[in-house]
Amino acid sequence: MSGADGRLFRLLKRAVDIRPEETGVVVRMFFHFFLITFTAYVIKPVKLSLYLTFLTADRLPYAYLLTALLMGLAVSLNSRLLSRLNRRAYISWSLLFFMGNLLVFRWLFGFHWPWVSMLFWFWSDLFIVTAVMQFWMAVNDRFHPRQARRLVGFFVSGGLWGGVAGALVASRLVRLIGTENLLLVCPAFLAGAFVLVRHRDAAGQPEESEAAPENASAPKKTGYAGSFRILRRSRYLRLLAALVAAGIVVTTLVDFQFSSAVEAALPLKDARTSFLGTFFLGLLVFSTLLHHLLSGRILKRYGILAALIIPPAVLFLGSAAVFFVPAGSLLWWAVPVKGLDKSLTHTINQSVRELLYIPVPADEKYKAKAFIDMFVNKFADGLAAVMLLALPLSLKGVSGLTAFFCLAWAALAALITKEYAEVVKRHLKIQWEDADRLILDRIDVDTTQLVFDTLESRGRSSVLYAMNLYELIRRERLTPELRKIIAQRSGELRAGAMDSLLDVDGEPLFPDTDDVLPEETLDAQVREILDLGVYRQVMGRYLEDVAKEAGPNSETARMEAAKALGLMDPGSPLARNLAKFLRDESPEVAVYALRSAGQLKRRDLLPPVLSCLSRPALSQAAVLALTEYGDRIVGALKDYLADPEEDLRIRRLLPDVLARIGTQRAADALLSEFRKAGSRFEAELIEALAKLKVSRPEIRFDETVVLEGVKRQLRTAYGDLERYHDLKPGGKKEGRRRDLELMLFKTVKSIFALLGLIYPPEDIRRAYQNLLAGTKKAIDYSVELLDSLLHKDIKPFLLPMVEDLPLDEKAKSAGRILKALNKASAS
């Protein structure tokens, strides 16, 4: 960046959230819009004053209707030009065309023909709509949604200041040169806009959509029909068109009331032009103040819905106020209502309406925007004109009609806000599948583990193999595919091998069978044998002998005993012996004991099972055993989790257990512990909460607690950023930078895990994955999606953390954001 550009960037940075590489194009586009609106606000008072002079306010509906009819032809021509010309060539030639037209109209007005005023009305509407539409097309070409949200307010400011200057010139100069001669002022300013457009073209900053000629991807059929088909296919564009139409109908009805009141109060042409110029000047000054004080704040803090709802709500109240105004004071009512209408149109309404076009695919956007801004806009004018001509309404009756359309406008605003988020999502593809969800959907972990145990036990002990095989049968998991793997005709693999452990009076537990195991009766036979008193006596003596043994020589026998206990009834007195095997020095014995404990679910075995969590070799088996207990032990686990005197190794694993249990009580227990600030295992709690949400989407979490947790994560991150910013440049700061980047990555991951608990998980995952993708477009659309999803209390603090900004920029603003975050949390 050159020195001049650097100084310009630092100057602009005080007024707008701009990036260094955007400086040149933003300045040129600002002044482009300034010159367009300057010209428009010289033309507007001329248009209205001359029309009222030659044709009167009673004939205004005819002007609205004629404009609507002729605009259809203009849309068709415009669509064809868009498909044949490069975007900047299209804008440049349009400006030259309008410059020439102004000179022609000044010549025609010298003949005082009334029809010229009607034609100029149509032409001025065509110029304003086309020039403004072309500017916003350039914005759509150049910027992604998040960039546009940052910069659109600055561009609107350029338009407002241009309008102020134009209205000021019109109101003061008209008394010196007359109404018609104001038209001679305008070509010079349009020439300035032409130079800016051409300079932007030569500056080597091509817009994204102009990387290839526009007509390369244009549909073969263009014009009105093609543009209409684009709208018909898209629910979003249909809603947008209806929203625009409702707003234009309201504006047209308000304009009719205002013009009628002005004609009655100011019959002289130049005096009326001067009044209108002064009115537009005051209107634009008010609009500028409104824009700088409220527009950006409303969009940033309250979002698109609030920005869309405010204009119809304000105009509904203004229209209702007419019923309390005396008949002789209608001008005093019409002026503020017209002022509010145009002020809101120029500020909040225009800003948010242009944002709504940003996520529309490029191949649809330009034709749809031209169709809506030109045809739908004027169709709404025509609709209002038809109602004014068909319904003999007084000014107060027109206000009742206006109020009705304000309600329709507000309803459409609510509908399109929901649809906007869906359109933004289409730009964000899921980058990878969630691992936990894949495992849950496609893998039966318990059965897989049991199959591995069964296969592994074949070479170790035919008894263990038989018991594992029996468990597969009991769980109805012995599929034909598994039979081929494990039901082999081999003496050591046959179920009769259990005789060595469960031999009662010489009778084998399992009779000899062929390869097809008798699954229907096997479980009942085994249960009957296990309940025999004589079996319990024999088994009791056997378990006492095995439990006394130690060392590797008796390890297999202890494993067999631990497995056998899991097959018994939970109420069997023999099951108490399992506690000894849970404390066995051999991890393999203890693992079998843990699996049996999970099957029995005895409360007296809970303490020794929990103690196994502290042994690394047993921790995962202990987690699975505790999961088998289910919701019945959630209260006990919650107490262990909250007890600071308990072994920290045990407490760190309990969140995973609760997540696997997956009930609402388990979720509440996790959230209760998470609520405590500064937990030593907060990362484990967040991971467990996220895992639980994946497995049980219907579980509900307290939004207040979750958002407070998000703010806690943000406070930590901004605190680290602030400390980093305070470091002096050098090696220490560079080393700290790497640590900070890793910390921020982990923090953002935790924040999105928490957000997935209270917002649609698919949307949060989509936004997070595209943030990690790292491209400018992906980040911008991700942040825009978050902006439309998140609660207003969290957006001002989270979005700066994830936006596409250098680390040093984030660190620079960290202190200010941290202060605001602490203040918000305290209140």
Side-chain angles (χ1 to χ4, degrees), residues 313-623:
V314 170
L315 293 174
F316 177 86
L317 295 175
S319 297
V322 74
F323 296 101
F324 304 97
V325 176
S329 304
L330 286 177
L331 181 62
W332 297 105
W333 165 83
V335 166
V337 171
K338 174 71 172 177
L340 285 170
D341 174 43
K342 300 307 290 184
S343 296
L344 292 169
T345 297
H346 291 322
T347 56
I348 298 172
N349 198 29
Q350 182 171 7
S351 297
V352 72
R353 194 171 73 184
E354 297 305 328
L355 283 176
L356 293 175
Y357 283 108
I358 300 290
V360 178
D363 58 342
E364 300 178 359
K365 180 188 306 182
Y366 303 108
K367 290 185 175 60
K369 180 171 174 56
F371 184 83
I372 292 172
D373 286 1
M374 297 178 73
F375 180 78
V376 173
N377 188 313
K378 294 309 166 185
F379 171 81
D381 273 342
L383 177 62
V386 169
M387 289 187 290
L388 289 170
L389 291 170
L391 303 173
L393 298 173
S394 65
L395 290 185
K396 291 187 177 181
V398 173
S399 287
L401 194 59
T402 303
F404 171 79
F405 276 94
C406 285
L407 294 176
W409 185 0
L412 289 165
L415 289 173
I416 200 169
T417 301
K418 294 180 181 178
E419 197 71 18
Y420 175 79
E422 296 300 319
V423 174
V424 170
K425 289 178 201 175
R426 293 171 198 160
H427 290 268
L428 302 173
K429 306 297 183 185
I430 294 293
Q431 305 292 326
W432 62 84
E433 292 296 329
D434 185 272
D436 289 333
R437 183 178 295 279
L438 281 175
I439 291 173
L440 285 168
D441 290 345
R442 304 180 187 180
I443 301 176
D444 185 337
V445 178
D446 291 339
T447 300
T448 302
Q449 181 63 56
L450 185 54
V451 170
F452 276 114
D453 288 346
T454 304
L455 294 173
E456 189 273 337
S457 63
R458 286 190 304 184
R460 181 168 199 135
S461 164
S462 59
V463 175
L464 280 177
Y465 171 75
M467 287 190 287
N468 285 325
L469 190 62
Y470 163 65
E471 191 171 347
L472 277 172
I473 296 171
R474 190 178 64 174
R475 294 189 183 189
E476 300 181 352
R477 294 293 188 270
L478 195 59
T479 63
E481 291 79 11
L482 287 179
R483 287 175 184 273
K484 294 178 182 179
I485 298 173
I486 58 180
Q488 300 180 23
R489 194 173 185 84
S490 172
E492 67 172 352
L493 304 180
R494 295 174 59 81
M498 283 193 73
D499 295 350
S500 61
L501 176 62
L502 305 179
D503 193 345
V504 182
D505 294 335
E507 293 293 329
L509 173 61
F510 296 116
D512 286 342
T513 68
D514 58 17
D515 289 341
V516 180
L517 299 173
E519 299 174 17
E520 296 80 6
T521 59
L522 182 58
D523 188 49
Q525 293 175 1
V526 172
R527 290 294 174 191
E528 184 178 345
I529 293 172
L530 293 177
D531 288 339
L532 292 174
V534 63
Y535 168 78
R536 292 180 179 178
Q537 292 176 8
V538 173
M539 193 63 183
R541 291 192 297 271
Y542 176 82
L543 290 173
E544 289 179 5
D545 293 339
V546 170
K548 291 176 183 177
E549 298 177 3
N553 294 332
S554 63
E555 184 179 59
T556 299
R558 299 199 306 276
M559 292 167 63
E560 294 168 348
K563 178 68 178 181
L565 287 171
L567 301 176
M568 298 180 180
D569 187 270
S572 171
L574 295 176
R576 292 195 298 269
N577 292 283
L578 193 60
K580 301 173 184 177
F581 297 106
L582 288 169
R583 293 188 288 268
D584 198 285
E585 63 183 12
S586 167
E588 292 184 279
V589 174
V591 165
Y592 269 101
L594 284 166
R595 291 172 186 162
S596 294
Q599 293 171 359
L600 296 176
K601 303 178 179 63
R602 288 174 61 108
R603 298 281 299 193
D604 59 322
L605 296 175
L606 189 57
V609 172
L610 282 165
S611 67
C612 290
L613 290 171
S614 62
R615 298 171 61 182
L618 304 179
S619 59
Q620 283 307 304
V623 166

Side-chain angles (χ1 to χ4, degrees), residues 274-288:
S274 179
F275 166 80
L276 290 171
T278 303
F279 167 76
F280 286 127
L281 173 62
L283 181 154
L284 288 163
V285 170
F286 175 73
S287 298
T288 303

Side-chain angles (χ1 to χ4, degrees), residues 768-820:
Y768 177 65
Q769 290 184 2
N770 281 273
L771 283 172
L772 294 184
T775 67
K776 192 171 187 62
K777 180 179 178 181
I779 293 173
D780 278 348
Y781 275 103
S782 296
V783 176
E784 187 66 15
L785 176 58
L786 292 172
D787 205 328
S788 66
L789 284 177
L790 301 183
H791 192 275
K792 62 183 178 63
D793 288 343
I794 203 70
K795 284 194 292 187
F797 312 116
L798 175 59
L799 298 187
M801 178 65 67
V802 298
E803 282 188 320
D804 186 24
L805 289 171
L807 186 65
D808 290 330
E809 284 290 317
K810 293 181 180 180
K812 190 182 299 183
S813 59
R816 172 181 54 80
I817 296 175
L818 182 59
K819 184 177 179 181

Side-chain angles (χ1 to χ4, degrees), residues 630-631 634-635 637-638 641 654-655 657-672 689 692 699 701:
D631 193 65
V634 166
L637 296 183
K638 181 180 178 181
L641 190 62
L654 290 181
V657 176
L658 289 166
R660 290 169 181 269
I661 290 174
T663 62
Q664 186 64 56
R665 286 183 66 219
D668 294 341
L670 285 169
L671 210 58
S672 175
L689 288 164
L692 195 156
I699 296 294
F701 298 89

Side-chain angles (χ1 to χ4, degrees), residues 6-39:
R7 289 191 294 273
L8 184 58
F9 165 71
R10 288 191 292 273
L11 179 64
L12 287 175
K13 185 68 176 173
R14 300 175 183 176
V16 60
D17 186 7
I18 191 173
R19 307 290 183 262
E21 67 275 10
E22 299 166 345
T23 304
V25 69
V26 167
V27 170
R28 285 188 287 273
M29 294 182 81
F30 174 91
F31 282 107
H32 176 188
F33 201 32
F34 175 94
L35 293 170
I36 292 297
T37 55
F38 180 99
T39 305

